[in-house]
Amino acid sequence: MNASGLSPDQVNLQARVRELAAGPVAKRAAEVDRTEQYPWDNVELLKDAKLLGMTIPQQYGGQGKNWLDAVLVIEALSAACSVTGRIAVETNMGAISAVMAYGSEEQKKLAADMVLAGDKPAICITEPEAGSDANGMTTRADKKGNRYVVNGRKHWITGGGVSRLHLIFAKVYDEKGNEEGIGGFLAIRDETQGLKITKREPTMGLRGIPEAVIDFEDMELPPSALVIPPRGLKKGFADLMNAYNSQRVGAATVALGIAEGAYQLALDWSEKRHQFGRPINEFQGLQWKLADMSIKLRAAQALVYDAARSGEGGFPDMLLAAQAKVFTSESAIQVVNDALQFFGARGYSRELPLERMARDVRMFTIGGGTAEVLRNVVAGALLKKKLPQTRDGYLSS
Ligand SMILES: Cc1cc2nc3c(=O)[nH]c(=O)nc-3n(C[C@H](O)[C@H](O)[C@H](O)COP(=O)(O)OP(=O)(O)OC[C@H]3O[C@@H](n4cnc5c(N)ncnc54)[C@H](O)[C@@H]3O)c2cc1C
């Protein structure tokens, strides 16, 4: 897809990343899926191409690129390999952007150095009993003297076992056991006792990045590990979740990229494949399908780019990010499914990428806020109120 409104630098960036994606990244995609191994070689490729930590400000070694720059990179990579696209999301958005916005100088330097060296930070929010209702988390950080002691379990943590830097959300309690709200802590795997990767989830798709259960067993952290100081904790969670709007735009972009890749394959195949003595793209049923696919992609791209642009100088707008993620994730699933249909039996074969794309793209109406919960976010923003979610009525926080 070619969108208007890009600067000459952005057009160049897009062309450069498309070349990388069509070359070495595409070549590895099937193997990454089959072996379920994290593509460290692609991390090196991204590092050499200066695509990791692009959004990190220059004073911390990054390039100070904007969200749309990152989106263009993620979109192009995801058309070839969604796992590599996700690595670009998580090294430019989400946890790293939360730390760069709200962290101390020391935390910013630490996180920037790690990401620029190739680490994909993990963000730890979801728990077995607290998914969409993140406020219901039970992982706790108890202040004891000059340290916090963290106990609890997170699951479905992307990168668990390969990521080193972790941004961990927990309910914080003072010395007397009074709850202070939800806070985010930084911890480095292998340097923090009590941080244990206890299971890898057997996922349907996106298999090159582990999704893990992480247990915290009396994990001790200094107060300097808190990304937001205690007095700001209540507001702190909202701030940190604000940073998550960038991740949502990133997730929508991966879905968009996968669908664009699948659409292109279907378009090319529709010219090559002949049945009844003519190319299958001469059948009107398929022409209309192609038309509908292109319309969905064009609309999704416009929403994603618009949401990215809304974050100039801060984070993407919550409403625009939610609208973009709902529409793009649902449309992308439909487009990939339609693209697979163009290939007949071949589409169902593991020798072509369509079945992998169908498994990969299915995730994006779930992770990072489900389509249903994001519709609540959209409705809440339109009605300018927090919608009741519990039987008791409105949420207190
Ligand atoms: C591949 C993958 C990667 C992930 N990576 C991470 C990660 O790195 N870090 C992390 O913290 N989490 C991660 N997650 C977890 C993800 O954010 C959660 O799965 C998601 O928030 C939904 O929570 P849940 O799975 O517990 O579903 P539930 O909350 O149990 O929801 C079940 C169903 O009920 C619906 N539902 C729930 N509440 C409402 C409501 N109020 N209104 C309408 N419908 C509702 C949901 O939409 C869903 O359809 C990942 C998940 C996946 C699949």
Side-chain angles (χ1 to χ4, degrees):
M1 294 265 120
N2 280 316
S4 51
L6 300 182
S7 70
D9 278 355
Q10 287 172 328
V11 172
N12 287 340
L13 174 68
Q14 194 179 44
R16 184 163 70 85
V17 183
R18 280 181 179 167
E19 205 178 312
L20 188 73
V25 174
K27 226 175 261 165
R28 281 275 282 123
E31 193 186 5
V32 169
D33 177 61
R34 184 173 47 75
T35 59
E36 304 192 14
Q37 297 292 315
Y38 189 69
W40 287 109
D41 49 348
N42 286 358
V43 172
E44 287 304 308
L45 278 179
L46 299 188
K47 192 161 86 177
D48 292 348
K50 299 206 176 313
L51 303 175
L52 295 181
M54 293 163 54
T55 57
I56 293 173
Q58 286 175 339
Q59 66 194 104
Y60 300 101
Q63 300 163 65
K65 296 276 189 192
N66 63 32
W67 302 120
L68 184 55
D69 296 326
V71 157
L72 296 174
V73 169
I74 296 159
E75 183 182 8
L77 291 172
S78 302
C81 174
S82 36
V83 165
T84 309
R86 285 186 88 203
I87 294 171
V89 173
E90 302 207 354
T91 52
N92 285 296
M93 297 166 158
I96 182 63
S97 49
V99 177
M100 297 320 291
Y102 304 118
S104 65
E105 272 306 293
E106 197 191 342
Q107 289 168 342
K108 287 182 193 178
K109 283 188 189 137
L110 171 86
D113 286 352
M114 288 181 73
V115 166
L116 292 167
D119 189 47
K120 179 210 85 56
I123 187 158
C124 308
I125 304 171
T126 308
E127 300 182 358
E129 301 308 325
S132 299
D133 181 12
N135 271 303
M137 69 176 62
T138 56
T139 295
R140 54 187 295 146
D142 287 277
K143 185 89 196 294
K144 288 191 179 159
N146 196 23
R147 67 198 200 286
Y148 286 97
V149 181
V150 182
N151 281 286
R153 166 170 288 185
K154 301 285 177 184
H155 74 166
W156 287 93
I157 304 307
T158 303
V162 296
S163 300
R164 294 191 66 234
L165 192 65
H166 288 61
L167 178 59
I168 301 157
F169 290 83
K171 288 224 167 115
V172 182
Y173 295 85
D174 68 14
E175 301 266 9
K176 293 184 185 138
N178 301 315
E179 190 189 320
E180 293 188 306
I182 293 174
F185 294 82
L186 280 184
I188 302 179
R189 180 176 59 84
D190 296 340
E191 289 179 19
T192 313
Q193 279 198 358
L195 190 164
K196 298 180 180 162
I197 313 295
T198 45
K199 184 191 167 198
R200 180 170 177 170
E201 307 284 359
T203 59
M204 173 178 174
L206 301 168
R207 294 186 183 172
I209 298 188
E211 302 294 340
V213 175
I214 305 187
D215 284 311
F216 308 110
E217 292 172 6
D218 288 332
M219 180 177 77
E220 293 194 7
L221 295 172
S224 62
L226 253 180
V227 178
I228 300 237
R231 67 190 156 74
L233 276 187
K234 279 207 180 10
K235 187 178 161 296
F237 187 50
D239 283 346
L240 290 164
M241 288 315 287
N242 189 27
Y244 209 59
N245 288 321
S246 62
Q247 180 108 349
R248 279 189 182 143
V249 173
T253 309
V254 179
L256 173 67
I258 299 171
E260 286 174 340
Y263 164 78
Q264 193 57 50
L265 292 173
L267 189 64
D268 296 346
W269 178 247
S270 73
E271 179 66 37
K272 283 192 207 124
R273 177 66 174 166
H274 287 63
Q275 286 294 282
F276 301 98
R278 50 208 288 217
I280 58 171
N281 66 13
E282 288 187 7
F283 299 117
Q284 194 182 45
L286 295 193
Q287 290 170 1
W288 281 14
K289 213 181 261 275
L290 283 172
D292 285 343
M293 291 157 80
S294 79
I295 293 166
K296 281 175 190 155
L297 290 176
R298 186 75 178 164
Q301 190 187 55
L303 284 175
V304 168
Y305 285 15
D306 206 27
R309 286 192 173 106
S310 74
E312 201 61 50
F315 287 108
D317 178 74
M318 184 182 65
L319 171 62
L320 297 183
Q323 287 173 328
K325 182 157 182 288
V326 171
F327 183 80
T328 305
S329 59
E330 292 182 347
S331 302
I333 291 171
Q334 293 160 7
V335 169
V336 174
N337 194 39
D338 285 345
L340 190 150
Q341 190 72 12
F342 273 72
F343 286 82
R346 289 174 179 82
Y348 201 63
S349 165
R350 278 184 279 145
E351 286 177 354
L352 292 189
L354 280 308
E355 64 82 32
R356 165 170 52 83
M357 290 168 148
R359 284 185 284 109
D360 289 356
V361 78
R362 186 61 190 84
M363 197 286 280
F364 293 91
T365 57
I366 303 171
T370 66
E372 293 77 21
V373 165
L374 291 181
R375 280 189 168 84
N376 293 340
V377 170
V378 171
L382 300 178
L383 300 170
K384 296 190 175 48
K385 61 182 177 185
K386 214 164 200 167
L387 300 172
Q389 300 295 328
T390 66
R391 287 184 174 177
D392 302 330
Y394 287 83
L395 292 170
S396 53
S397 55

